[in-house]
Amino acid sequence: MPPAEHHDHAHQDVPSDLALRVKALESLLVEKGLVDPAALDALIDTYENKVGPRNGARVVARAWAEPAYKARLLADGTSAIAEFGFSGRQGEHMVVVENTARVHNLIVCTLCSCYPWPVLGLPPVWYKSAAYRSRAVVDPRGVLREFGLEIGEDVEVRVWDSTAELRYLVLPERPAGTDHLSEEDLAALVTRDAMVGVAKVEYPKPGETA
Amino acid sequence: MPPAEHHDHAHQDVPSDLALRVKALESLLVEKGLVDPAALDALIDTYENKVGPRNGARVVARAWAEPAYKARLLADGTSAIAEFGFSGRQGEHMVVVENTARVHNLIVCTLCSCYPWPVLGLPPVWYKSAAYRSRAVVDPRGVLREFGLEIGEDVEVRVWDSTAELRYLVLPERPAGTDHLSEEDLAALVTRDAMVGVAKVEYPKPGETA
Amino acid sequence: MNGVHDMGGMHGMGPVKHEKDEPVFHAPWEGRTFALTLAAGAWGKWNIDAGRHEIELIPPAQYLRMSYYERWYVRLVELLAKRELVSREELETGHAKPGVPKASPRLTAGQVPALLSAGALASRRIAESPRFQPGQRVRARNIHPAGHTRLPRYARGKQGTIDRHRGGFVFPDTNAHFLGEKPQHVYSVRFAARELWGDQASPRDAVYIDMWDDYLEPA
Amino acid sequence: MNGVHDMGGMHGMGPVKHEKDEPVFHAPWEGRTFALTLAAGAWGKWNIDAGRHEIELIPPAQYLRMSYYERWYVRLVELLAKRELVSREELETGHAKPGVPKASPRLTAGQVPALLSAGALASRRIAESPRFQPGQRVRARNIHPAGHTRLPRYARGKQGTIDRHRGGFVFPDTNAHFLGEKPQHVYSVRFAARELWGDQASPRDAVYIDMWDDYLEPA
């Protein structure tokens, strides 16, 4: 007798014909003149190859390197980020929140999966998962612990539930010992997870020796 | 291309092998000496043939026929109901709530499907459904309207969410024109739905002429 | 726990579907699952609160997909294994492990009427007098326990009025986890529909909820 | 609507599963679904709020079972039909109805960079000054609309402090139903974690939520 089914709840049962149905829908929309396959390719290529967390890492690295830029970034995220040419869809109204020794910020969208596309690209599966969306607001420290991050009791955890049209980027703490690094080297340290608030930026990078 | 799947949401996808799995579980429990198939038969027979809404209907009819019984029933549901020999499992602590021209009562259990077994038998599917459990507390008048019951604005709707160990039975209003009926004839008018609060007792019965 | 089982106030569950002349069980396996659960329960290895909690532990997507008795089946398998009436290995193979003596005494058909008519009293005598009196204003506490609770989410933080005292009862929040009965007073509390749901509700209507003492604080 | 999508504070959803070196799309159909949604959206037949609401209308059991892009697929089919870019019959047969002229002009590859970098501004100029000032105590209203809303259920009825004014924005509760933009002020509101979740929360922590004026009342 097979054991009760309800233990493999990670499994999401995607209908096997979904790929076929999407193909059929595309061909119908093309036939009706509603979409151009080349535009679809361009959209996919944008988020697979051009827009992603490397954008956000450059913003963070500059904020670390240039105090004046950091001040502009915290005062008006949208326009400071636009200095890099990063703007538009799902990043129209950007807010940057700064991690310090006293404050740790965490971003979530409990109602769907709002995420700052121009600086981080499309959200990862865990960010979109019911597990993260449900727990980040009620048990942020527990969630962070699962990510390997223990936040001290003397540190305030601020959770930003991005349910409106503001999109959030965490400015992580600059790790110690990085004074000699160039802006480009700094950017290489910055991870997507750190800019969502579920990780810190480490130096040397995990697995490397100083 | 098939239409989007999400319209047939009434369908509950019961694994086809569930009947086999239950059979296998029973045979294992019998093999281990944990259950006796004859006891299972007796349990099923009880709720299929012996305990059901006819019990509750007798209680209601007597309350209509005998003012002294009604007073006992409203004061202490458990012992008044026990006068009929109806007692025990899921009816250990009974409360009877009376419908009047000013108050309409409705029973639900939002957390599972608690229901007064000794007087009503096992609950129907609609009572156990997510639709009823979710809506009865927030939109009782809308739910009642779907059952064909329009409750006037001058009438108070009381919803009893049976989340503790108290179990509820609605004492419906006695319909007009039934003064000449015997207690037995009265009982024949009383429906399960009226004792949950989603219907009124009608006379003559729907479909009959007076 | 704030599970999907706690569905008071949710939208989107569709219309209520009433079935005419509904049978008690829609298929023989439903009746067998029902009866197996009661017969196995007669060993006294779990209580009603633990049984309810086990259903709450079914992951939300499956909980919503499953029919009522399918949930009962899953619960029964889990309780048998967790309370060690049956091993996971036996559940897997479908056969009793050789050499393990048969359990005894099992519930017989003759004992069924007495079992059902006795029921299981959840009421308990409590020496202290009730903390709240009828007519008193109270507030349901804003708690979010990860374990079992019978304080529905839609009532938390809301103010109501003590309607009457119900007596002393076993406390589900501990009993479900085999942490003791912790008996306490239960009160019927009247919540105005508008307190719960805002202005969209009728100013006349109310929801009554039976609340354990631990769920309440003075308003 | 009080849907299962509004999941802040729910238990039972399991651990957060982090995937190392995750691809942007896990299968080609995901990318196509994403791109089809954006390209079809460029016709301007719906807005972002209507798009979000369409996903909320997926019945809860299916919503929870589905992957993210499966929800997007269902939404796209529904929006195409409801907003009459495609008929149900065409969706059924998979072919355009003969005699209907081709739509024009569709989004071209060359227009994609401009489309994305422009985005869609939800901000609006509002003549009146903001009703609330930073530092002011407010309460999120206890509303339970059956339609779309961006006021999460866990914050309703709770008190917070205005952190700062965000500007004027289109109101999702009307815009999602094509009932007008009804632009209004949005405020970042700080809610103490203990106000939201009771004593189990850290006394130091807080949740910040951007709230439209209609969601708030003076505390």
Side-chain angles (χ1 to χ4, degrees):
Chain A
M1 172 179 353
E5 274 191 321
H6 77 280
H7 287 285
D8 57 347
H9 62 271
H11 175 65
Q12 282 196 304
D13 179 26
V14 175
S16 56
D17 64 344
L18 196 50
L20 293 176
R21 286 157 68 195
V22 171
K23 213 167 259 192
L25 181 62
E26 177 176 336
S27 102
L28 171 62
L29 297 187
V30 170
E31 186 183 332
K32 285 183 67 71
L34 289 167
V35 304
D36 174 355
L40 304 180
D41 295 340
L43 284 160
I44 293 167
D45 178 59
T46 302
Y47 292 101
E48 279 194 328
N49 302 310
K50 294 175 182 158
V51 173
R54 291 301 96 219
N55 288 5
R58 288 176 61 196
V59 171
V60 167
R62 180 154 310 164
W64 285 346
E66 290 183 20
Y69 181 75
K70 177 175 159 181
R72 290 202 299 283
L73 184 67
L74 294 176
D76 180 349
T78 313
S79 50
I81 288 168
E83 293 177 29
F84 285 88
F86 309 146
S87 69
R89 170 87 56 151
Q90 286 303 303
E92 293 93 342
H93 311 285
M94 288 295 307
V95 174
V96 178
V97 288
E98 184 185 16
N99 281 354
T100 68
R102 317 302 291 169
V103 174
H104 184 87
N105 294 283
L106 180 67
I107 312 306
V108 66
C109 170
T110 59
L111 297 180
C112 43
S113 304
C114 296
Y115 193 77
W117 294 6
V119 280
L120 295 186
L122 299 182
V125 167
W126 65 259
Y127 183 86
K128 300 179 287 190
S129 70
Y132 183 73
R133 288 167 50 195
S134 60
R135 292 177 53 209
V137 284
V138 63
D139 183 24
R141 289 169 186 266
V143 168
L144 291 172
R145 212 169 289 126
E146 280 173 33
F147 276 93
L149 214 55
E150 184 74 40
I151 304 293
E153 279 305 321
D154 58 328
V155 175
E156 173 187 338
V157 174
R158 290 184 185 169
V159 181
W160 301 82
D161 191 357
S162 18
T163 54
E165 295 306 333
L166 292 303
R167 295 291 165 269
Y168 291 86
L169 182 76
V170 174
L171 174 59
E173 282 184 277
R174 179 175 179 160
T178 55
D179 290 355
H180 62 292
L181 294 186
S182 68
E183 199 178 304
E184 198 181 335
D185 288 343
L186 286 171
L189 299 177
V190 181
T191 64
R192 174 198 66 198
D193 288 1
M195 293 182 281
V196 180
V198 297
K200 296 198 178 234
V201 175
E202 296 185 56
Y203 179 75
K205 282 174 119 171
E208 284 180 7
T209 46
Chain B
M1 169 179 355
E5 273 191 319
H6 78 282
H7 288 284
D8 56 349
H9 63 271
H11 176 67
Q12 281 197 306
D13 179 26
V14 174
S16 55
D17 64 344
L18 195 50
L20 294 176
R21 285 156 70 194
V22 171
K23 213 168 261 196
L25 180 62
E26 178 176 336
S27 101
L28 171 62
L29 296 188
V30 170
E31 185 183 333
K32 284 183 67 70
L34 290 167
V35 304
D36 174 353
L40 304 181
D41 295 340
L43 284 161
I44 293 167
D45 179 58
T46 303
Y47 292 100
E48 279 195 327
N49 303 310
K50 295 176 183 157
V51 173
R54 290 302 95 217
N55 289 5
R58 289 177 60 197
V59 171
V60 168
R62 181 154 308 165
W64 285 346
E66 290 184 20
Y69 181 75
K70 177 174 159 182
R72 292 202 297 284
L73 184 67
L74 294 175
D76 180 349
T78 313
S79 48
I81 288 168
E83 293 176 29
F84 285 88
F86 309 147
S87 68
R89 169 89 55 151
Q90 286 304 301
E92 294 92 343
H93 311 285
M94 286 296 306
V95 175
V96 178
V97 289
E98 184 186 15
N99 280 355
T100 68
R102 317 302 292 168
V103 174
H104 184 88
N105 294 283
L106 181 67
I107 313 305
V108 67
C109 170
T110 59
L111 297 179
C112 43
S113 303
C114 294
Y115 193 76
W117 294 5
V119 282
L120 294 186
L122 299 181
V125 167
W126 64 260
Y127 184 87
K128 300 178 286 191
S129 70
Y132 184 72
R133 289 167 50 195
S134 59
R135 293 176 53 208
V137 284
V138 64
D139 182 25
R141 289 168 186 266
V143 169
L144 292 172
R145 212 169 289 125
E146 281 176 32
F147 276 93
L149 215 53
E150 184 75 39
I151 305 293
E153 278 305 321
D154 57 329
V155 175
E156 173 185 337
V157 174
R158 290 186 184 167
V159 181
W160 301 82
D161 192 355
S162 18
T163 54
E165 294 307 332
L166 291 304
R167 294 291 164 270
Y168 292 87
L169 182 74
V170 174
L171 175 58
E173 281 183 277
R174 179 174 178 162
T178 55
D179 290 354
H180 63 292
L181 294 186
S182 68
E183 199 178 305
E184 197 181 334
D185 287 344
L186 286 171
L189 300 177
V190 180
T191 64
R192 174 198 66 199
D193 288 1
M195 294 182 281
V196 181
V198 296
K200 296 199 178 232
V201 176
E202 296 185 56
Y203 180 75
K205 283 175 118 172
E208 286 178 6
T209 48
Chain C
M1 62 183 289
N2 294 346
V4 79
H5 71 281
D6 184 358
M7 49 179 68
M10 282 196 69
H11 294 124
M13 297 297 188
V16 179
K17 288 187 184 155
H18 190 275
E19 179 183 348
K20 221 176 144 62
D21 300 323
E22 181 176 338
V24 172
F25 300 112
H26 286 73
W29 72 264
E30 292 192 350
R32 299 317 274 184
T33 300
F34 170 80
L36 283 167
T37 301
L38 268 62
W43 288 96
K45 296 289 186 186
W46 56 81
N47 57 58
I48 190 168
D49 299 307
R52 291 198 183 110
H53 187 52
E54 198 59 52
I55 282 190
E56 295 163 8
L57 292 176
I58 298 173
Q62 296 190 41
Y63 180 100
L64 290 177
R65 177 192 60 71
M66 288 178 177
S67 72
Y68 182 73
Y69 286 114
E70 191 177 354
R71 290 179 205 142
W72 276 51
Y73 167 78
V74 169
R75 162 175 61 187
L76 176 57
V77 169
E78 287 301 306
L79 286 172
L80 288 167
K82 286 183 185 168
R83 305 304 292 168
E84 299 182 346
L85 280 177
V86 180
S87 70
R88 298 263 178 207
E89 190 192 337
E90 289 172 323
L91 288 165
E92 189 68 42
T93 64
H95 287 288
K97 197 174 174 188
V100 177
K102 270 199 166 193
S104 173
R106 64 185 177 178
L107 177 75
T108 64
Q111 293 164 335
V112 163
L115 173 85
L116 295 178
S117 73
L121 288 180
S123 56
R124 296 290 182 271
R125 279 195 174 281
I126 298 185
E128 310 87 64
S129 0
R131 183 163 59 125
F132 301 111
Q133 306 307 320
Q136 193 172 344
R137 295 289 291 167
V138 291
R139 184 187 295 277
R141 291 177 60 211
N142 182 28
I143 55 170
H144 297 266
H148 183 66
T149 187
R150 297 291 283 184
L151 172 50
R153 220 177 150 187
Y154 71 84
R156 297 182 196 162
K158 299 295 190 290
Q159 288 194 43
T161 306
I162 300 284
D163 179 56
R164 71 193 68 189
H165 177 233
R166 293 290 192 204
F169 285 87
V170 172
F171 189 50
D173 301 39
T174 49
N175 197 43
H177 301 283
F178 306 99
L179 297 172
E181 293 197 339
K182 204 184 168 188
Q184 53 193 267
H185 292 293
V186 168
Y187 311 87
S188 173
V189 183
R190 176 190 168 97
F191 293 91
R194 288 206 160 173
E195 167 73 8
L196 298 175
W197 312 111
D199 293 345
Q200 75 190 59
S202 157
R204 208 177 278 282
D205 298 349
V207 178
Y208 287 72
I209 311 176
D210 292 310
M211 295 255 182
W212 277 264
D213 194 86
D214 269 10
Y215 296 166
L216 295 172
E217 58 196 17
Chain D
M1 63 183 289
N2 294 346
V4 79
H5 71 281
D6 183 358
M7 50 178 68
M10 282 196 68
H11 294 125
M13 297 297 189
V16 178
K17 289 187 182 156
H18 190 274
E19 179 183 349
K20 221 176 142 67
D21 301 323
E22 181 176 337
V24 172
F25 299 111
H26 286 73
W29 72 264
E30 291 192 349
R32 297 318 272 185
T33 300
F34 170 81
L36 282 167
T37 302
L38 268 62
W43 289 95
K45 297 288 186 185
W46 56 81
N47 57 59
I48 190 167
D49 299 306
R52 290 197 185 112
H53 187 52
E54 198 58 52
I55 282 189
E56 295 163 7
L57 292 176
I58 298 173
Q62 296 189 41
Y63 179 100
L64 290 175
R65 179 193 58 72
M66 288 177 177
S67 72
Y68 181 74
Y69 286 114
E70 190 177 355
R71 290 180 204 141
W72 276 51
Y73 167 77
V74 170
R75 162 175 60 187
L76 177 56
V77 169
E78 287 301 305
L79 286 173
L80 288 167
K82 287 183 185 169
R83 305 304 291 168
E84 300 181 344
L85 279 177
V86 180
S87 70
R88 298 265 178 205
E89 190 192 337
E90 289 172 323
L91 288 165
E92 189 68 41
T93 64
H95 287 287
K97 195 174 177 190
V100 177
K102 271 199 165 195
S104 174
R106 63 185 178 181
L107 178 75
T108 63
Q111 292 164 337
V112 162
L115 172 86
L116 295 177
S117 74
L121 288 181
S123 55
R124 296 290 181 272
R125 276 194 177 283
I126 298 186
E128 310 85 65
S129 6
R131 181 162 61 125
F132 302 109
Q133 305 307 321
Q136 192 173 341
R137 295 289 289 167
V138 289
R139 184 187 296 276
R141 290 176 60 211
N142 182 29
I143 55 171
H144 297 265
H148 183 65
T149 187
R150 297 292 282 183
L151 172 50
R153 219 177 150 187
Y154 71 85
R156 297 182 195 162
K158 299 294 191 290
Q159 289 194 44
T161 307
I162 300 283
D163 180 56
R164 70 192 67 188
H165 177 233
R166 293 290 192 205
F169 285 87
V170 172
F171 189 49
D173 301 39
T174 48
N175 198 42
H177 301 283
F178 306 100
L179 297 171
E181 295 195 338
K182 202 184 170 189
Q184 52 192 270
H185 292 293
V186 168
Y187 310 86
S188 172
V189 182
R190 176 190 169 96
F191 293 91
R194 289 204 159 175
E195 167 73 7
L196 298 174
W197 312 112
D199 292 347
Q200 74 190 58
S202 159
R204 208 177 278 281
D205 297 350
V207 178
Y208 287 73
I209 311 176
D210 293 310
M211 295 257 181
W212 277 265
D213 193 85
D214 268 10
Y215 295 166
L216 296 172
E217 57 196 18

